[in-house]
Amino acid sequence: GSAVLSSAPPLPFDAVRELGGRGGRLPPIWLRILLAVAVTGLVSHGLAALLTRRLRRLRHAARALAAGDLAVRVGYRGRDEVAALAQDFDQMADHVRELLETQRRLLRDVSHELRSPLARLRVALELAQRGDDPAKALRRIDKEAGELEQLIADVLSLARLESGQTTLERRAVPLHELVEKVVTDAEFEAQAKGRHVTFDAAQAVTLQGDPVLLRSAVENVVRNAVRHTEEGTTVAVVLRMERDGAVIEVRDHGGGVPQEELSRLFQPFARVGEGRERQRGGYGLGLAITGRAVHSHGGEVSIENHPAGGMIVRMRFPAARVAELSPPTIGET
């Protein structure tokens, strides 16, 4: 039995005693430091290898994205900092891809839309050259040139809003007065088409924002409603205060839009309801500009079909930008 015990390997503390010499003393301090450094180095090397391997994958993905591969993603999941960085990278890549696709679609749509008025201009010029009816041809040329000018202006406005290059002017804008002026102008034009526009506001409201963009946002919605409401009907424009801010509501009495296509109305050059925009005029840019303009002021735009027919567009502006005044001054000078 004693032979078996003597042949057994030494226990760890026995090895330490052997290193320390006789008497069971610990190893010298320099040796302990060396062992600690060696162990720490091995552990650190393993952690560094793991970390750098994940960072290398992120670096390769960044290079691929810079080279034009918009489909590249890192795909890390977890709760550490590297995983959080990878998720932020993937979100950035998604956003970049969405922006580029939007710009490409906008360029493609603009190119397509420019063909129609240019073709009509060419026909009108040929008629004018033939001398069949020069006055009619000139009127047609003037109309098509005006549409081209408006289309280009809308495209430039939309491009600036989407790129963030538009510098917003921040000042107090009497929202009730702005909407009232838009309604007054729209009513003058609507009467010639057998339609009407009314405005109702319970209180005077001041909004911190850009008056040009705000007027464009409201005007596009009101003109769109006048264009599509049925003859003999009235477009109702309402400004009111709610708990979370100011709301501008525009309701028409047109044919409405299929429910599944409502979300597309704020996309540039949206065509819904079997050519609804083409039949009534317009290029489908007005509501897209409205959406960008309202969002740039921290607000939201929604649209829905009314149960009794027609559509309702609501523009909401946050309470942080709104100040309610009293008494109401609608219609006063």
Side-chain angles (χ1 to χ4, degrees):
S2 59
V4 173
L5 290 175
S6 62
S7 62
L11 295 175
F13 57 82
D14 293 329
V16 173
R17 288 195 182 100
E18 288 294 332
L19 288 172
R22 295 181 180 180
R25 291 179 300 171
L26 292 174
I29 186 66
W30 63 267
L31 186 55
R32 281 183 283 168
I33 293 175
L34 183 61
L35 288 173
V37 169
V39 172
T40 304
L42 289 174
V43 174
S44 299
H45 182 270
L47 291 175
L50 177 62
L51 181 62
T52 54
R53 185 183 64 184
R54 302 173 74 195
L55 289 177
R56 279 197 301 270
R57 182 173 174 182
L58 182 59
R59 182 183 180 187
H60 293 328
R63 287 182 173 179
L65 182 64
D69 184 4
L70 300 180
V72 65
R73 299 294 183 272
V74 181
Y76 283 151
R77 294 292 179 266
R79 297 183 179 180
D80 60 1
E81 294 298 327
V82 176
L85 180 61
Q87 292 169 19
D88 289 341
F89 176 88
D90 289 346
Q91 291 178 1
M92 178 195 68
D94 289 337
H95 187 57
V96 169
R97 182 175 185 176
E98 180 180 350
L99 284 176
L100 289 177
E101 288 180 350
T102 299
Q103 294 297 329
R104 290 170 182 168
R105 184 170 60 249
L106 179 61
L107 181 60
R108 183 179 64 248
D109 290 341
V110 168
S111 302
H112 175 74
E113 294 296 338
L114 284 173
R115 290 194 186 102
S116 297
L118 286 174
R120 291 192 295 267
L121 270 175
R122 191 175 293 110
V123 172
L125 284 171
E126 291 177 358
L127 292 175
Q129 290 171 353
R130 276 189 282 176
D132 296 340
D133 191 347
K136 181 179 179 181
L138 288 174
R139 287 195 299 271
R140 186 67 183 184
I141 290 173
D142 181 68
K143 178 178 181 298
E144 297 300 337
E147 288 192 8
L148 270 176
E149 183 180 7
Q150 185 62 48
L151 172 59
I152 293 171
D154 288 345
V155 168
L156 290 175
S157 298
L158 184 62
R160 282 195 291 265
L161 284 170
E162 288 190 337
S163 65
Q165 295 178 357
T166 300
T167 302
L168 296 183
E169 181 183 355
R170 297 295 185 187
R171 66 182 179 89
V173 179
L175 195 58
H176 56 287
E177 295 179 3
L178 183 149
V179 177
E180 185 181 24
K181 290 177 181 177
V182 170
V183 169
T184 301
D185 293 343
E187 167 67 7
F188 179 77
E189 297 177 9
Q191 287 180 353
K193 303 176 182 178
R195 302 170 174 87
H196 294 281
V197 185
T198 62
F199 179 45
D200 178 42
Q203 58 271 111
V205 177
T206 296
L207 179 69
Q208 292 293 328
D210 188 306
V212 176
L213 274 183
L214 288 172
R215 181 182 176 92
S216 177
V218 176
E219 192 171 41
N220 285 331
V221 175
V222 174
R223 288 182 179 276
N224 186 73
V226 171
R227 185 184 302 127
H228 295 105
T229 197
E230 296 296 335
E231 187 174 350
T233 61
T234 298
V235 173
V237 182
V238 177
L239 171 63
R240 64 175 182 271
M241 287 293 299
E242 295 184 351
R243 181 178 302 176
D244 56 350
V247 178
I248 301 174
E249 185 176 279
V250 181
R251 192 270 170 101
D252 66 50
H253 293 80
V257 169
Q259 189 69 29
E260 63 275 8
E261 296 184 342
L262 281 174
S263 60
R264 296 182 53 238
L265 288 178
F266 293 104
Q267 297 177 8
F269 299 105
R271 300 298 186 196
V272 297
E274 296 183 355
R276 182 174 183 259
E277 292 290 335
R278 286 192 188 277
Q279 294 172 7
R280 301 290 183 99
Y283 290 93
L285 284 174
L287 291 181
I289 293 174
T290 293
R292 293 349 182 244
V294 173
H295 289 159
S296 68
H297 285 80
E300 297 179 351
V301 184
S302 62
I303 188 168
E304 63 183 39
N305 288 314
H306 193 278
M311 294 195 306
I312 300 179
V313 178
R314 293 186 181 91
M315 292 168 277
R316 300 178 181 273
F317 298 94
R321 297 179 181 268
V322 176
E324 180 181 347
L325 305 177
S326 60
T329 57
I330 305 305
E332 298 179 4
T333 57

